[in-house]
Structure formats: C-alpha cells, structure tokens
Amino acid sequence: MRYLPVCLDLHGARVTLVGAGTVATRKARLLARAGAQLQVVAPDIAPGLTQLLTEHGGHWREGEYRDADLEGSALAVAATPSSAVNAQVSRDATARGLPVNVVDSPDLCTFIFPSIVDRDPLIIAVSSSGQSPVLARLMRRKIESLVPAAYGRLARFAGRLRDTVKTAIPADTPRRLFWEQVMEGAIAEQVLVGREERAQAMLEERLADTERLYTGEVYLVGAGPGDPDLMTFKAVRLLQSADVVLYDRLVSEPILEMARRDAKMIYVGKQRDDHAVPQEQINQLLLELALAGNRVVRLKGGDPFIFGRGGEEIDQLAAHQVPFQVVPGITAASGAACYAGIPLTHRDHAQSVRFVTGHRRDGSLDLPWESFRSSNETLVFYMGLVGLPEICAQLIAHGRRPETPVALVERATFAEQRVLAGTLQDMPAIVEREQPRAPTLIIVGDVVKLRDSLAWFGGGAEPA
C-alpha cells in the first residue's frame, strides 16, 4: 500500500491553489466543500472559479507563482498547464513540509485526491493510488448506487446520540457491539426512512434493557474450500464485523485478510493427531467470549455442518442461551469437484452422491463398506489421504470394480490446486509417487472419467 488514506480537517485552513483554469476549478470546489480558505494564484482566472471564491470567501492573487504564496498555508495544490511551474510548487511545498498535490503528476505529489462518495458526514474515498483515476471513478459510481443519501442522516443520528450511549455502556467492546447491532437492525431502518424520533425511542428502550447489553453473539461461518470469491455475502459481512475470529487450518490467508484489522485472531486448527486446541476447549472459549460481550466468528473451512463439528459447538451456546447463527459455506466436495471439472452426479454415470469421512472419531476406518458398492453412486471421502490405501482395498473387496475411476484433489480451489487421477487399483501407487499433502479430497466413481472433457470449464484449474 503506497498511500495511507487519511481525513484532513481543512475547515478555516488556508490552502494555496496555483492555477485557475478548468482543472483548478474542479479542485477548488472540492476544497471549498471541505471548508478551506482558498488562496488562488494565476495570471488569469476562469469565471466559474471567480464565482466560487465570491461565494466561499477565497482570494485570487493575479500574477505568476512565487514561493511566498505558500506562507501560512496548510497544503498546496498545483494545477497549471506549465510542468515547470508545477514542479517548482512541488519542490517549494516539500521544502516547507507542506502536503502537495500536482494534478496528473503522481511523482510530484505527497498526497493525491481520491474519488469521493459524499454522504456528509459519512465520506467514502476510493483511490487507485494514481494508477487509474478512471477506474477509481467507476468504483465510486458503483458504491454510490449501494449507499443511499440517507446514510448521511444515519451518521448524524449516531453522532447526536454518541454521548448517551457512552454513558449507558462505558466499556468499549460492548458499546461497539451495540452500535453494530443498531446500524444493521430496525433502529437504522427507521432513521433511513426519516423516522428519527421513533428510532431514538427504540434506541433508548434498548439501552434500558441492561440484560441484553452485555451478551455477545456467535456466528459459525463456512469459509468454503479456500477461494475467497466463493464465500457468501453474509459470511463476509459477519467476518468484517467480528471482534474475535477463531479459525482453523483450512481457512486461507486471503479470507483471514477480510477480517476487521483490530479483530483478535485466534488459531484453533486441528489436523490428524495434532489438535492445537481441543474441541471441548473451543466450545468453552466461544461461550466465554460471547458472555464477555464480543461478536465472535467461528470461521471454518468448507461448511460448518459437513464434517465441521458445528453441531457440537452450538450445543453449549444453546444451553446458555447465547445468540448464534450458522452461515453455510460451499463444502469441499462441491468446490473440489467444480474446479476439477468433475460433476458429482450425472444422468449417465451417477444418480446419487455420498459424503464420507475418511477416518472415524477414534481414527479407525470402520465404515459401512457394504453400502458403498453401487456403481451408480459417487463417493466423496473427506480427510482420507492417510487411509487411502485401505479405502481403495475395502471398496474393491466389497464389490467396486478395481478399474473404477478415482480422483484425488489437493488444495481444491487454490491457485496451486492439483488433481491426481487413477483407479481404485493403482491410486495408492500414484499417491505414493506424487506425495500429495493435505488438505485433499477423494472422489470415487465413473463421473471422474468426465474430467478430461470438462476440466477446462470447471474452475480454471489446469488438468494434471
């Protein structure tokens, strides 16, 4: 990140604007809206800029720029047709320690103007770091369509009641949780439609309900198989609102980057024979964090209710009446199959699909092998890498053809995804040779044969 976004208070501050043409007028309007006192320096001035100075009380000094024009200024902007003059303004301002912007010359700037969505006092700035102003403006238009003008009214409502809420809820974390619930709930909706008196009454009623103020919430969120683009809108929204995030080893770094910067991140990953935090301790931690008033996201790879032990984690929350939500995610079977170009069901090859855990709670592979013999059913084994030789042997022993196609998908949906294809008979040797590493998923069935023709259209992963 080359530029740090900041918000400057320019109300009543003197700003030197060198240049008075069309481009300078656009900058002048923006600065005037921020309350700056404009000192314009140029031999000639555009009529629109003259009117702007009259309305906002600025001043135009007719003549060529000189270093003394920067005296007493908070920052400087150069917008002249002369590259030499612009460069001189940049050097002089930098020597004085003043922030300086030279229009269309990022190398001469110490700050740049972003594209702005103005919902005063809510301000949203979009910047391409000077690389593509057109793209920044395009993004601004997209954001404008998503943020109604009434959000400014909501910001003013919150500002007016900040002290009231702070008095009722002195602690920072419960207060932030309260405001997040207000901004995403019925109180905000009342403000957005102009019913501010009703909204204030609702807020005060909520503040009086002290039993509800200090209990947080828990969200079991499915992060999907790895690609951040596969997360749901709701999953992203809740992740970005969390005070604390508990995540496992299957959650990718790009997804973790979506969390709020000041959120507390707690790793509770588990893998075969190596549990960083025992499941019982995770359950207790979720409860304790919520009772302390935190908004907690339990972030899980795939889907929380498909081999994710989500049911165990909400049992204790429900017993203590802690509010929780479960947000489904794309399970690894769907992500791996799609990105590998393998349909899990197909009219000609498989009329059903079964998800199977690759090892039981005690680490054994005591599975109902007799029920897996149908050639019209696709089998998907989770966490089956270590047990793959036994899986293949047991399936053959219980009626599956040795030449039944098998695919092992390594790091599904990631850029480094790899697919190993073979049969029940030769897959153990292929795995021994290729040495894939977890996380992996095993797909068994005739649908795997379709991969050669569909892989390029599944998710962009190149066939291995």
Side-chain angles (χ1 to χ4, degrees):
M1 184 171 70
R2 179 177 175 182
Y3 293 95
L4 177 68
V6 297
C7 296
L8 294 175
D9 183 1
L10 293 178
H11 194 269
R14 174 172 168 165
V15 174
T16 298
L17 174 61
V18 183
T22 303
V23 175
T25 301
R26 288 202 299 268
K27 299 299 182 187
R29 289 197 184 100
L30 186 62
L31 292 164
R33 279 164 53 195
Q37 293 298 305
L38 292 172
Q39 168 73 16
V40 178
V41 179
D44 302 293
I45 189 168
L49 185 50
T50 300
Q51 181 180 355
L52 186 70
L53 295 178
T54 300
E55 293 174 353
H56 293 274
H59 175 71
W60 168 45
R61 187 185 72 75
E62 183 178 0
E64 301 295 336
Y65 162 77
R66 55 178 183 260
D67 178 60
D69 291 317
L70 300 178
E71 191 69 36
S73 290
L75 59 81
V77 178
T80 80
S82 170
S83 57
V85 172
N86 290 341
Q88 187 62 51
V89 174
S90 177
R91 287 192 296 270
D92 293 343
T94 301
R96 289 173 174 265
L98 295 180
V100 60
N101 174 269
V102 178
V103 176
D104 291 333
S105 299
D107 291 343
L108 298 177
C109 299
T110 60
F111 79 94
I112 57 177
F113 285 94
S115 290
I116 292 175
V117 179
D118 188 355
R119 301 290 186 262
D120 187 51
L122 179 65
I123 305 295
I124 303 170
V126 180
S127 173
S128 67
S129 299
Q131 300 300 304
S132 179
V134 172
L135 178 60
R137 288 195 293 271
L138 174 63
M139 294 305 299
R140 181 196 68 197
R141 290 200 298 270
K142 289 180 179 294
I143 294 172
E144 282 180 328
S145 67
L146 298 173
V147 183
Y151 270 79
R153 183 189 305 132
L154 181 59
R156 290 189 293 272
F157 173 85
R160 190 171 70 249
L161 292 168
R162 280 187 69 184
D163 290 343
T164 299
V165 173
K166 189 172 184 178
T167 299
I169 313 175
D172 290 343
T173 297
R175 186 168 66 249
R176 183 172 65 244
L177 177 61
F178 174 82
W179 274 121
E180 287 173 352
Q181 293 170 341
V182 166
M183 292 300 169
E184 295 177 358
I187 295 174
E189 292 298 326
Q190 294 294 317
V191 177
L192 293 175
V193 297
R195 300 171 183 164
E196 294 188 46
E197 290 186 6
R198 172 59 182 150
Q200 183 167 342
M202 292 171 64
L203 183 143
E204 290 170 351
E205 290 172 7
R206 178 71 187 278
L207 288 175
D209 188 0
T210 55
E211 291 187 2
R212 294 180 58 197
L213 285 181
Y214 295 99
T215 299
E217 297 180 81
V218 176
Y219 308 115
L220 271 63
V221 174
D227 185 343
D229 288 345
L230 296 181
M231 290 184 69
T232 65
F233 288 126
K234 186 172 185 179
V236 173
R237 176 170 59 83
L238 293 178
L239 177 58
Q240 292 175 340
S241 72
D243 303 302
V244 185
V245 178
L246 279 65
Y247 65 98
D248 62 37
R249 69 185 184 91
L250 297 178
V251 179
S252 66
E253 190 64 30
I255 290 176
L256 295 177
E257 287 292 325
M258 294 181 181
R260 210 173 65 205
R261 292 299 176 191
D262 60 341
K264 184 177 182 180
M265 310 295 289
I266 302 176
Y267 175 68
V268 292
K270 298 188 291 291
Q271 54 186 331
R272 188 183 181 96
D273 300 324
D274 181 15
H275 291 195
V277 181
Q279 185 63 52
E280 294 74 16
Q281 189 174 335
I282 294 174
N283 300 346
Q284 184 63 28
L285 186 57
L286 290 172
L287 177 63
E288 292 173 357
L289 288 168
L291 291 176
N294 294 287
R295 178 172 288 191
V296 185
V297 163
R298 172 67 170 106
L299 196 59
K300 293 174 170 288
D303 181 276
F305 279 5
I306 299 180
F307 305 124
R309 303 186 73 171
E312 298 174 46
E313 294 180 350
I314 64 174
D315 277 347
Q316 195 163 350
L317 299 174
H320 288 81
Q321 298 184 325
V322 172
F324 65 85
Q325 294 184 45
V326 180
V327 182
I330 293 178
T331 188
S334 295
C338 289
Y339 275 58
I342 301 173
L344 294 177
T345 61
H346 189 281
R347 179 178 296 180
D348 299 328
H349 300 284
Q351 286 72 54
S352 62
V353 59
R354 189 184 301 212
F355 297 163
V356 187
T357 179
H359 68 275
R360 301 292 292 273
R361 185 169 187 172
D362 60 1
S364 72
L365 267 172
D366 183 18
L367 299 172
W369 300 107
E370 290 285 347
S371 65
F372 296 164
R373 67 174 59 194
S374 174
S375 61
N376 294 323
E377 181 173 68
T378 302
L379 301 176
V380 181
F381 288 88
Y382 287 67
M383 302 166 287
L385 179 59
V386 173
L388 182 134
E390 184 177 352
I391 290 172
C392 293
Q394 290 285 0
L395 289 175
I396 293 173
H398 289 83
R400 282 277 181 143
R401 294 174 291 109
E403 61 272 18
T404 300
V406 179
L408 184 145
V409 186
E410 177 184 11
R411 294 187 63 78
T413 77
F414 288 86
E416 60 270 29
Q417 172 181 301
R418 182 168 62 143
V419 182
L420 304 178
T423 66
L424 286 176
Q425 189 169 35
D426 62 19
M427 199 63 190
I430 293 173
V431 168
E432 178 67 24
R433 183 181 69 246
E434 297 293 336
Q435 292 294 303
R437 301 181 63 183
T440 61
L441 200 84
I442 302 165
I443 303 175
V444 179
D446 287 344
V447 290
V448 174
K449 294 187 295 187
L450 300 171
R451 176 174 172 268
D452 289 339
S453 59
L454 301 180
W456 288 101
F457 304 98
E462 183 177 353

